[in-house]
Amino acid sequence: MRLLTDPHLIGKGPTADLTHLFATDDSEGVVATDQTNVVHAGGGDDFIYGSLDNLALIDGGDGNDVYVIYEGKATDYSVTEVSDGVYQLCGPGIDGRTINVLLTNVETIYFNGGTGDGYGLYSPADLASGQTGTPAT
């Protein structure tokens, strides 16, 4: 698995402050930084990492994609399905800020900040339906 970070940023989005990170169709580790607003993970089975504070959209693309969260556990977040297969994730960011990010084509959210209930692997659909207890395996 390759790890993609800022050197792979390609251009600017529709506005000057919207920076896109594009991955390839391979399976990769995609790392969003403070300057990343939109992640396009492409094909492959990707692990997507990064602070939620500046992200507006994560598009996992094809494959089985996992978004890894280190800030909080599943019960600290709300997940709402805003349209078919598109989920809004809201929860704690760094320095007490509340974050909102849209997820599409992301099959799994991994809450990696601890052990026990609320940590582990969850599908966005399960979280949207209120299932935040024991994670899926």
Side-chain angles (χ1 to χ4, degrees), residues 54-111:
N54 292 318
L55 286 172
L57 172 68
I58 298 173
D59 182 352
D62 293 334
N64 186 13
D65 304 298
V66 178
Y67 182 68
V68 181
I69 295 178
Y70 292 97
E71 297 132 357
K73 57 186 179 179
T75 54
D76 296 332
Y77 289 82
S78 67
V79 177
T80 306
E81 188 170 21
V82 294
S83 65
D84 188 31
V86 178
Y87 297 89
Q88 181 176 25
L89 174 71
C90 301
I94 297 172
D95 298 328
R97 293 181 278 175
T98 300
I99 55 88
N100 292 292
V101 63
L102 291 177
L103 305 173
T104 185
N105 300 312
V106 173
E107 288 72 28
T108 306
I109 302 171
Y110 178 35
F111 293 92

